[in-house]
Amino acid sequence: MKTRYILPIACLLAIAILIPGPVTAQSDECDNKALRDEVSNLIQGGASQDEIEALTAGCAANEPLRAGGEPLLSNQAGAQTTTATGSIFWEQIDACGYHPQRRELDCAVEVRQRFGFAGTPPGAPGFNGPGSWEWIQFCVDFGGGLVPINLSAVHVHDEAYGVNPSWYYGVSVQANPALHTALVNGQTLKARAILSWTLIPTGCNYIPIWGNQADFKIKLDP
């Protein structure tokens, strides 16, 4: 068991100043629970996105990896693989699909805990708070590697009424002009969706502290 601790926010911010940000891949192992509590407190205190990113700069998920240091697969079914690139204790993508006529990605996001989302909704039992965002970055490979398509999110809160998880949220991400103008002729393209709690993904190789990624194929039927 690793010792869990919480550094004062001032100390963490002082450390973060020395690290250029934002980053797309975190390198230093951090205590997920302690850091999540710190981030939730910042959110409830009205901190800016820049302040939250400064606190978490340089951190990576510290959950178990496969032999060789590769991330765990949270699910593998046929052509779709979801990989636990970050912590999946609180949330994860379960599956994604693309609606070619509506030009829309839809992902099922599973919320796996009652806590850790920056407070219960206003007027609900418990400690009310602003809640937090589950972000999804959508990427597609047109033949030259994955490129960003669009970004979307769902807003979530802590559970207030004693109901146990899991909950499933549908997150829709719209196409961009590159995908809109791709030939809708039945061709198949590689795609990726990256889930990240609170921290906004910055690219198609982004490694979240909290979240995972789904790699799958989309078929552009007319």
Side-chain angles (χ1 to χ4, degrees):
M1 292 289 291
K2 294 184 179 180
T3 302
R4 296 184 177 273
Y5 57 91
I6 302 176
L7 290 175
I9 291 176
C11 293
L12 285 167
L13 287 174
I15 293 170
I17 290 172
L18 302 176
I19 304 173
V23 294
T24 57
Q26 292 79 19
S27 57
D28 297 330
E29 191 175 278
C30 299
D31 186 305
N32 286 341
K33 177 62 168 63
L35 186 61
R36 183 113 176 183
D37 289 345
E38 289 278 1
V39 172
S40 293
N41 289 336
L42 278 181
I43 293 171
Q44 293 180 72
S48 69
Q49 187 71 23
D50 287 344
E51 289 173 311
I52 294 168
E53 289 179 357
L55 173 67
T56 58
C59 286
N62 63 355
E63 293 186 352
L65 301 176
R66 291 189 293 177
E70 295 181 2
L72 292 168
L73 297 179
S74 48
N75 181 50
Q76 187 166 14
Q80 182 155 161
T81 299
T82 55
T83 306
T85 47
S87 169
I88 55 172
F89 179 75
W90 285 272
E91 61 274 292
Q92 71 172 27
I93 291 174
D94 282 348
C96 295
Y98 184 67
H99 194 306
Q101 293 84 45
R102 292 172 58 178
R103 307 292 205 280
E104 179 182 277
L105 174 77
D106 295 291
C107 293
V109 174
E110 178 185 357
V111 169
R112 311 180 74 188
Q113 303 298 332
R114 298 181 60 234
F115 57 89
F117 303 96
T120 60
F127 185 78
N128 295 164
S132 52
W133 294 93
E134 301 282 358
W135 293 95
I136 286 187
Q137 171 71 64
F138 179 29
C139 297
V140 171
D141 184 351
F142 295 100
L146 289 165
V147 294
I149 296 297
N150 214 336
L151 185 73
S152 188
V154 61
H155 194 239
V156 296
H157 282 82
D158 294 342
E159 200 284 322
Y161 300 96
V163 179
N164 290 321
S166 292
W167 298 272
Y168 297 87
Y169 293 82
V171 181
S172 298
V173 189
Q174 299 301 314
N176 69 358
L179 193 50
H180 272 293
T181 57
L183 288 177
V184 185
N185 60 355
Q187 66 173 313
T188 294
L189 302 174
K190 294 179 181 178
R192 173 175 292 171
I194 301 170
L195 172 69
S196 177
W197 177 72
T198 294
L199 300 170
I200 301 173
T202 55
C204 298
N205 294 313
Y206 182 82
I207 305 298
I209 301 175
W210 303 281
N212 66 333
Q213 74 181 38
D215 290 285
F216 51 100
K217 298 174 182 177
I218 62 175
K219 189 166 179 284
L220 304 188
D221 282 332

